[in-house]
């Protein structure tokens, strides 16, 4: 273990020192709560960008009076090279999803397949793994060759469990005399599988059609069937207008259909999925805005599904980001706020928490020339209403490679 740590440390220093150019790094010391026990932590987190290549590393040691938390580096009591690699390499990426070739390996934080009816916002980590700074070697690949393309995702290359495949075709792409929105219309098939028997959604499949009417505006339709034979479809439109992003859908779901079943909660709640045993139909509306080069970003999504002769099922989701440049302009020092709030099936202003609520918040402020203090707060609720909380504070030193 000692030799491996020394070698890995040398590799990190060589990579970041030789190849990095104007890339960010952070050196931190702090404490955190893992499995109802408190640990001190030491961390080094560089983010490196070289052209289309992106690389995020993290070397974190959690420790208490009993020593280093070895579970972070072991599998069944033995040092695991794959787990060690997954822990140190947060991600490596090339390009973006709409490029001819895109690949990302490591952390998968927000995977959307097609227009999201089956998979929307999926992450390949549980809340406990995030709290313990543990990662999986997820893989996401996109290929676009004009006439055809594909988007593929695997949650863990070392132990594949969740797969997503989305091949699509633009059948009229080569006909020059046709309007561009017809040539660029795509038709794709979606298939997602979870091989773990304890998870309740073993597979799902569907079809997606997207019509890009303008560079910033497109229409789409999607339909899906889940492993429980429940079916649903939606018709929607989305627009990108400068800093503003808008999306709206009409949805019609059969009994026991759960839209976006593979989402940010799936790894935590996939063994305890809740289904509605009746048909629903309704709308979804989403609006987001990004200003000052993403220094201010806000997004709000509202869903309202109607059940026959029953109350509606509203869901409200909000996201807010206030970046360093805004803090610098206002108070003369760097800072950042990131917060998300989600409440499902029940939205009442004087009841901000229930069994389907999730809150994530992180506040960071520069205290003195690159020295930052950060406070992190996360809370989710289990199906029985039991809260799962995480709080932490960290003092970190940040800067840039020249």
């Amino acid at each position: 273990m000692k030799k491996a740590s020394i070698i890995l440390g040398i590799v990190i220093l060589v990579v970041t020192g030789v190849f990095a150019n104007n890339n960010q790094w952070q050196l931190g010391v702090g404490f955190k709560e893992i499995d109802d026990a408190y640990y001190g932590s030491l961390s080094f987190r560089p983010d490196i960008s070289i052209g289309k290549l992106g690389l995020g590393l993290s070397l974190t040691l959690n420790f208490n009076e009993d020593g280093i938390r070895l579970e972070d580096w072991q599998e069944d009591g033995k040092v695991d090279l794959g787990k060690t690699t997954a822990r140190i390499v947060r991600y490596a990426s090339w390009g973006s999803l709409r490029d001819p070739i895109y690949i990302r390996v490591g952390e998968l934080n927000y995977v959307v397949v097609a227009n999201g009816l089956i998979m929307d916002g999926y992450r390949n980590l549980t809340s406990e793994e995030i709290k313990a700074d543990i990662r999986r070697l997820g893989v996401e690949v996109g290929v676009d060759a004009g006439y055809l393309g594909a988007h593929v995702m695997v949650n863990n290359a070392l132990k594949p469990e969740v797969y997503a495949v989305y091949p699509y075709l633009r059948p009229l792409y080569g006909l020059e005399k046709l309007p561009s929105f017809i040539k660029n219309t795509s038709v794709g098939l979606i298939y997602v599988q979870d091989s773990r028997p304890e998870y309740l959604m073993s597979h799902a499949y569907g079809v997606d059609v997207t019509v890009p009417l303008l560079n910033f505006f497109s229409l789409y339709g999607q339909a899906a069937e889940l492993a429980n034979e429940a079916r649903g479809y939606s018709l929607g439109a989305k627009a990108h207008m400068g800093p503003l992003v808008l999306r709206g859908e009409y949805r019609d779901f059969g009994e026991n259909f759960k839209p976006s079943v593979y989402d940010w909660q799936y790894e935590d709640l996939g063994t305890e999925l809740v289904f509605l045993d009746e048909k629903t139909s309704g709308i979804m509306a989403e609006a987001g805005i990004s200003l000052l080069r993403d220094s201010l970003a806000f997004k709000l999504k509202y869903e309202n599904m109607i059940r026959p002769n029953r109350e509606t099922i509203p869901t409200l989701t909000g996201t807010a980001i206030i970046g360093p440049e805004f803090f610098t302009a206002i108070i003369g020092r760097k800072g950042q706020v990131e917060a998300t709030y989600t409440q499902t099936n029940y939205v009442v202003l004087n009841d901000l928490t229930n069994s389907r609520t999730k809150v994530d918040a992180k506040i960071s402020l520069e205290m003195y020339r690159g020295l930052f203090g950060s406070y992190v707060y996360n809370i989710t609720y289990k199906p029985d209403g039991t809260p799962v909380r995480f709080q932490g504070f960290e003092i970190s030193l940040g800067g840039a490679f020249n």
Side-chain angles (χ1 to χ4, degrees):
M1 181 67 179
K2 183 176 180 181
K3 291 182 179 179
S5 299
I6 294 173
I7 294 173
L8 290 169
I10 293 173
V11 171
I12 291 173
L13 292 176
V14 170
V15 170
T16 56
V18 175
F19 295 103
N21 182 23
N22 295 324
N23 295 288
Q24 301 300 309
W25 61 272
Q26 187 178 70
L27 181 66
V29 57
F31 69 90
K32 61 183 68 174
E33 181 186 4
I34 306 173
D35 296 333
D36 298 323
Y38 287 94
Y39 292 83
S41 66
L42 295 173
S43 63
F44 175 60
R45 310 183 192 101
D47 285 275
I48 304 166
S49 179
I50 308 171
K52 290 190 174 184
L53 176 64
L55 186 64
L57 305 177
S58 178
L59 181 60
T60 301
L61 296 177
N62 299 313
F63 58 90
N64 58 16
E65 64 275 10
D66 298 323
I68 295 175
R69 179 181 156 88
L70 297 179
E71 298 96 312
D72 299 339
W73 309 89
Q74 295 178 337
E75 190 72 34
D76 298 326
K78 298 180 181 179
V79 176
D80 186 278
L81 180 59
K83 189 172 184 178
T84 299
T85 302
R87 183 168 177 78
I88 291 177
V89 180
R90 288 162 39 220
Y91 68 87
S93 66
W94 180 269
S96 60
L97 187 57
R98 293 179 177 84
D99 287 345
I101 297 178
Y102 163 73
I103 184 169
R104 180 182 174 107
V105 179
E107 288 180 343
L108 303 179
N109 297 321
Y110 197 86
V111 180
V112 180
V113 176
N115 285 293
L117 185 60
I118 295 176
M119 179 175 286
D120 189 0
Y122 172 80
R123 67 184 187 191
N124 64 337
L125 299 167
T126 66
S127 297
E128 290 298 323
E129 288 169 334
I130 293 173
K131 287 163 58 175
D133 198 29
I134 295 173
R135 281 169 293 280
R136 297 175 181 171
L137 280 177
V139 177
E140 186 180 13
V141 176
V143 178
D144 193 321
Y147 283 98
L148 50 85
H151 182 195
V152 179
M153 188 280 300
V154 179
N155 74 323
N156 187 358
L158 301 176
K159 187 181 179 182
E161 297 161 332
V162 180
Y163 314 78
V165 180
Y166 170 51
Y168 56 88
L169 176 68
R170 298 186 181 98
L172 304 177
Y173 185 79
L175 301 179
E176 297 296 334
K177 294 183 179 181
L178 293 177
S180 61
F181 76 90
I182 296 179
K183 292 190 299 181
N184 291 317
T185 295
S186 63
V187 180
L189 300 176
I190 308 160
Y191 182 76
V192 180
Q193 177 177 312
D194 187 347
S195 61
R196 297 169 293 187
E198 68 272 20
Y199 278 72
L200 301 183
M201 191 54 60
S202 62
H203 67 273
Y205 60 89
V207 61
D208 178 276
V209 178
T210 301
V211 182
L213 294 180
L214 301 169
N215 289 335
F216 64 90
F217 182 74
S218 61
L219 303 176
Y220 60 87
Q222 48 189 346
E225 179 172 320
L226 306 182
N228 60 1
E229 299 184 351
R231 297 178 179 179
Y233 75 88
S234 70
L235 301 173
K238 57 184 177 183
H240 298 261
M241 296 177 288
L244 183 64
V245 178
L246 301 173
R247 183 164 71 117
E249 284 186 4
Y250 170 77
R251 298 176 159 188
D252 192 295
F253 302 146
E255 294 180 5
N256 296 314
F257 186 84
K258 185 176 180 63
S260 306
V261 61
Y262 303 96
D263 62 3
W264 55 268
Q265 288 185 309
Y266 182 76
E267 288 298 322
D268 287 304
L269 302 178
T271 59
E272 303 172 323
L273 294 176
V274 178
F275 302 95
L276 290 174
D277 58 352
E278 54 190 338
K279 296 181 179 180
T280 60
S281 62
I283 61 170
M284 184 278 290
E286 183 179 70
I289 189 168
S290 179
L291 302 169
L292 302 178
R293 296 182 179 181
D294 298 330
S295 293
L296 290 175
F298 305 94
K299 185 168 73 172
L300 189 66
K301 181 169 74 172
Y302 177 76
E303 296 173 276
N304 196 349
M305 302 298 290
I306 300 172
R307 298 176 291 176
N309 303 317
R310 298 285 298 277
E311 295 181 356
T312 60
I313 310 171
T315 301
L316 183 67
T317 303
T319 303
I321 298 175
I322 303 175
E325 292 83 359
F326 184 82
F327 273 84
T328 301
I330 300 300
I331 64 175
R333 61 178 63 185
K334 296 178 182 178
Q336 181 164 295
V337 175
E338 296 179 332
T340 61
Y341 174 86
T342 302
Q343 190 175 95
T344 304
N345 295 348
Y346 185 63
V347 179
V348 177
L349 291 179
N350 62 356
D351 181 13
L352 298 178
T353 60
N354 59 36
S355 62
R356 304 298 294 174
T357 298
K358 182 176 186 293
V359 179
D360 293 298
K362 181 176 182 179
I363 303 173
S364 301
L365 185 65
E366 184 180 39
M367 296 185 293
Y368 179 80
R369 293 187 179 181
L371 186 66
F372 288 83
S374 300
Y375 173 73
V376 178
Y377 180 80
N378 310 111
I379 184 169
T380 58
Y381 292 82
K382 294 181 179 180
D384 63 1
T386 303
V388 180
R389 296 187 179 91
F390 167 69
Q391 299 183 70
F393 181 78
E394 181 178 272
I395 300 295
S396 61
L397 180 65
F401 295 106
N402 296 318

